[in-house]
Amino acid sequence: MAGMLHWFRHDSRRIISITVGIVLAVLMLPPLYILLQDSITTTDAVGDVTGFTLGHFAKMFTDKDALRSIWNSLVFAAGSTVLSLIAGGVLAWLVERTNAPFKILAYLATIISLGTPYILHVIAWLFLLGKVGPLNDLYRLVSGSTDNLFNVNSMTGMILIEGFLWSPLVFLLLGATFRAANADMEEAARMSGATVAQTWRRVSLPLAMPALLALALFVFIRAIGGFEVPALVGMPGRIYVLTTDVYEATIVVPPDLGYAAAFSVVMVAIVAVLLYFYSRL
Amino acid sequence: MRFFLAVLLLASLRAEAAEPDPALVAAAVKEGTVVWYSTLIVNQIVRPMAEAFEKKYPGIKVQYSRAASSDVALKIRNEARARRTQSDLFDGSNTVFLLEDAGLVADYRPRAAEDWPQELRDKQGRWTALNMFYWTAAVNTNTVKPEDVPHSYADLLNPRWKGQIAWTYDLTPGGPPGFIYNILTTMGQDKGMAYLRAFAKQEPVTIPAAQRVVLDKVISGEYPLAVMTLNYHATISIAKGAPVQWLRMEPLLQSMSLISIVNNSPHPNAARLFEEFMLSDEGQKVLADNDYLPASPRVPAKVPQNKPEIGGFKVNTVSPDQARDELPKWVAIYHELFR
């Protein structure tokens, strides 16, 4: 009887993992197969495969614009990751480890922010920082100039907006990490004569490192695959990244699906490598 | 006076619109449904057109879905590959070209358009013009003083417009590629390319949205000036009090939305009847009433000055065949100069 129960328990877990595996495979493998197929084949007018080609990849790795898009994607994702970690991390530390007032505001703002669709966030930031937004208006009023103080349609603008999109999530998750970590160690460091900066660098930061790295990878992956900010903020400033290049290849007439698929395969490869490291953290 | 003469002339083209063949009507009613894949705006025209048709032929139900040209073409193509064709007819400026080589477009010469000018109908019957587009520049009348309004393409090169001119990201004849075509055909290859290089130095801003949104950005004051916007979009907004004016920057670019029937569609008779209705005076009037510019020479626009015959502006036509054959060339120039 006990053996049966053990077998069933053991097996039910196996059944669940097999079921989840099958569901994921059914959901993920067909599109991935089509993507790979499209990226290395030529098709006729009906869409049937007519032959094998490496032309899509060749075009991508020799085209100046395409290489620049890959570079822009990396800069954009890295910049947004750093900004969101700094903004969210500092806020989490202030709220969890200091006696800063109005802590409730941080949570309130975070929850409101997480409940707002990202596309609205982006549009709101564009209104705020855009050419006719209040900041540039104020600058023109004060300076009497007709120029803009800040051009939001730049890589800086993209990183700023994407970074702030993710900082509430970083705040929540790092806040939990700081709360779970034992404050005694920091107190012990302070009692032993360490300054705040020393404590932070030698105790708080190493303790939070696993969480920080996991979050960094997470935000980086999401930013590489992000579309709202590159499209709405980047394209008017002629800054293209992988996702906007994929999109543009699908909207030209006739759509260049092979080229779009090749771009997507490169993105999948980048993200797969990152996810591998993410799973090992 | 000239306006009335023109209307009189248009009216005299044919005293009354031909009613469709009763046999076609009977066959269509028997099919009971027609499925329309559209690129037009649902609330503004798809729904009113469907309702007008259903009112006239109560036995036939119109089902529709809306997407961009490329998406409509991909959907029809994929359905055909799976041997599950769902749609009967489709429209769009470019949709037909993505499908005709695959043998997915039926030949049909609608009776309602048989006396229209040849440029509005395909010789083989693969498409017929449904409505007209006149692409031109538009300006915000609050932020641009009357004396500063540009009148010609040369005026767009004034340094004051650097970084101030918006256009859509739509890489079709209704976007930057159409602008490039218009310049190259009116100025000639060498002078045209020189102009385009100078225009690229003005750094026109590519707005990642449709032409209507670009015009809205001019109205909101975000950009004082835009090119490749539609004149009737401006008049719709002017009627609501928006500070905008479309410019007679000649020649304006003329293009058209085309209606075609899907080959081996599930309801071929209903498709033909619906096409006949859309191209009839009655259907074209529905377009005009909803601010679109009817293709039929017999039906004037709601704001008659928006069409060149009455508005008296010069146009340069991009024909559907040119668009199909040369679009990749214009897109390549766009990529070279403007990205």
Side-chain angles (χ1 to χ4, degrees):
Chain A
M1 188 62 197
M4 271 280 279
L5 202 65
H6 175 76
W7 179 85
F8 181 74
R9 244 187 230 150
H10 182 75
D11 216 53
S12 68
R13 202 183 293 164
R14 189 178 290 170
I15 288 171
I16 290 172
S17 56
I18 289 174
T19 315
V20 170
I22 290 173
V23 169
L24 283 179
V26 166
L27 287 176
M28 295 305 302
L29 292 182
L32 196 62
Y33 170 74
I34 297 285
L35 204 61
L36 284 170
Q37 180 191 292
D38 280 0
S39 72
I40 52 166
T41 52
T42 51
T43 52
D44 60 13
V46 192
D48 287 331
V49 174
T50 52
F52 171 81
T53 179
L54 284 176
H56 305 309
F57 284 101
K59 185 175 163 197
M60 193 169 147
F61 287 110
T62 50
D63 184 39
K64 196 169 86 265
D65 288 344
L67 291 175
R68 201 178 52 202
S69 297
I70 295 174
W71 173 245
N72 280 346
S73 264
L74 295 174
V75 171
F76 168 64
S80 334
T81 305
V82 170
L83 178 63
S84 69
L85 285 186
I86 291 176
V90 167
L91 191 63
W93 191 75
L94 284 176
V95 167
E96 295 297 337
R97 281 288 185 269
T98 70
N99 57 355
F102 305 119
K103 288 178 184 179
I104 186 71
L105 264 184
Y107 282 102
L108 209 62
T110 303
I111 287 160
I112 292 170
S113 165
L114 287 175
T116 314
Y118 281 152
I119 189 102
L120 284 185
H121 261 290
V122 179
I123 292 170
W125 275 108
L126 281 177
F127 274 130
L128 189 68
L129 301 175
K131 279 170 177 257
V132 286
L135 289 184
N136 276 321
D137 265 352
L138 188 70
Y139 168 75
R140 279 190 292 261
L141 193 72
V142 171
S143 70
S145 133
T146 53
D147 284 344
N148 295 308
L149 175 66
F150 183 76
N151 174 20
V152 71
N153 300 116
S154 59
M155 182 56 94
T156 317
M158 288 167 69
I159 289 174
L160 198 69
I161 296 177
E162 183 83 15
F164 283 141
L165 280 187
W166 291 107
S167 53
L169 191 81
V170 172
F171 162 72
L172 267 193
L173 296 181
L174 273 188
T177 311
F178 285 140
R179 208 175 316 138
N182 197 339
D184 290 353
M185 298 199 199
E186 289 172 8
E187 279 162 24
R190 292 300 307 280
M191 271 191 281
S192 310
T195 63
V196 174
Q198 278 173 327
T199 310
W200 201 80
R201 188 165 54 83
R202 306 202 31 193
V203 180
S204 311
L205 199 60
L207 279 176
M209 205 39 130
L212 269 177
L213 276 178
L215 269 170
L217 274 176
F218 178 81
V219 174
F220 190 89
I221 289 169
R222 291 303 306 257
I224 280 269
F227 180 67
E228 293 100 329
V229 170
L232 296 176
V233 186
M235 277 171 92
R238 297 192 197 180
I239 296 168
Y240 289 82
V241 299
L242 285 167
T243 46
T244 38
D245 269 355
V246 169
Y247 181 64
E248 211 190 72
T250 61
I251 60 163
V252 293
V253 179
D256 195 349
L257 295 183
Y259 194 47
F263 262 114
S264 309
V265 167
V266 168
M267 275 182 60
V268 169
I270 293 176
V271 171
V273 169
L274 292 174
L275 275 176
Y276 172 76
F277 287 112
Y278 184 76
S279 68
R280 311 226 329 175
L281 280 171
Chain B
M1 190 59 204
R2 199 169 69 171
F3 167 69
F4 286 109
L5 276 178
V7 171
L8 212 65
L9 184 76
L10 296 178
S12 67
L13 271 174
R14 196 165 56 176
E16 63 182 58
E19 284 298 314
D21 184 358
L24 178 64
V25 177
V29 170
K30 210 170 157 199
E31 289 167 354
T33 308
V34 61
V35 182
W36 177 20
Y37 283 4
S38 184
T39 64
L40 299 169
I41 299 171
V42 171
N43 284 338
Q44 202 176 327
I45 185 61
V46 176
R47 191 171 295 145
M49 186 64 89
E51 280 167 2
F53 179 71
E54 286 173 349
K55 205 173 147 203
K56 181 157 186 188
Y57 302 102
I60 309 170
K61 184 105 192 72
V62 180
Q63 293 175 355
Y64 49 76
S65 85
R66 195 266 160 196
S69 272
S70 303
D71 295 337
V72 166
L74 278 179
K75 209 154 78 166
I76 293 172
R77 203 178 81 173
N78 288 340
E79 286 174 5
R81 282 179 76 193
R83 302 188 199 296
R84 301 268 314 221
T85 295
Q86 308 285 318
S87 65
D88 297 306
L89 73 175
F90 61 89
D91 59 69
S93 296
N94 315 290
T95 325
V96 63
F97 310 125
L98 303 170
L99 296 171
E100 60 183 359
D101 291 342
L104 294 172
V105 185
D107 292 345
Y108 181 63
R109 294 188 192 81
R111 274 177 64 182
E114 62 189 1
D115 60 345
W116 289 13
Q118 187 57 56
E119 62 168 19
L120 300 177
R121 304 172 284 144
D122 180 37
K123 284 197 181 73
Q124 241 187 297
R126 281 179 178 163
W127 52 262
T128 309
L130 178 64
N131 58 292
M132 308 304 292
F133 297 122
Y134 297 100
W135 304 97
T136 188
V139 69
N140 182 308
T141 50
N142 280 350
T143 57
V144 181
K145 293 190 218 106
E147 62 269 26
D148 294 337
V149 171
H151 296 291
S152 65
Y153 290 99
D155 289 349
L156 293 178
L157 301 182
N158 187 320
R160 64 168 22 237
W161 303 123
K162 185 165 182 170
Q164 304 292 314
I165 306 172
W167 61 1
T168 173
Y169 75 147
D170 186 7
L171 294 182
T172 68
F179 185 87
I180 290 166
Y181 162 83
N182 197 12
I183 294 296
L184 290 181
T185 46
T186 51
M187 297 187 186
Q189 183 67 26
D190 293 342
K191 273 180 76 182
M193 281 308 289
Y195 176 88
L196 290 172
R197 286 206 181 85
F199 186 65
K201 292 216 179 75
Q202 293 290 73
E203 295 175 3
V205 180
T206 303
I207 307 294
Q211 293 81 351
R212 174 70 243 188
V213 179
V214 175
L215 189 69
D216 288 341
K217 286 186 180 279
V218 171
I219 291 170
S220 73
E222 199 170 336
Y223 296 93
L225 181 64
V227 292
M228 295 307 287
T229 59
L230 287 167
N231 64 355
Y232 70 85
H233 280 167
T235 48
I236 291 173
S237 297
I238 292 167
K240 293 177 184 163
V244 68
Q245 185 59 55
W246 66 270
L247 304 179
R248 282 165 187 267
M249 200 170 276
E250 292 177 325
L252 278 72
L253 186 68
Q254 168 179 284
S255 71
M256 45 207 165
S257 188
L258 315 171
I259 186 95
S260 307
I261 293 178
V262 179
N263 213 3
N264 299 321
S265 83
H267 317 101
N269 294 301
R272 289 173 175 200
L273 185 65
F274 192 27
E275 179 168 329
E276 291 286 357
F277 175 78
M278 285 197 254
L279 301 176
S280 70
D281 290 6
E282 204 178 342
Q284 291 284 299
K285 185 100 185 359
V286 176
L287 280 168
D289 289 346
N290 291 284
D291 297 301
Y292 282 83
L293 306 181
S296 170
R298 285 192 299 276
V299 181
K302 192 194 226 173
V303 180
Q305 286 77 7
N306 280 349
K307 283 180 80 173
E309 302 86 25
I310 291 169
F313 50 83
K314 284 201 203 89
V315 299
N316 177 25
T317 304
V318 52
S319 79
D321 289 338
Q322 280 169 311
R324 177 193 53 203
D325 297 338
E326 295 177 39
L327 184 59
K329 205 173 76 191
W330 309 330
V331 170
I333 294 175
Y334 170 79
H335 276 146
E336 187 199 324
L337 295 180
F338 296 101
R339 246 197 78 158

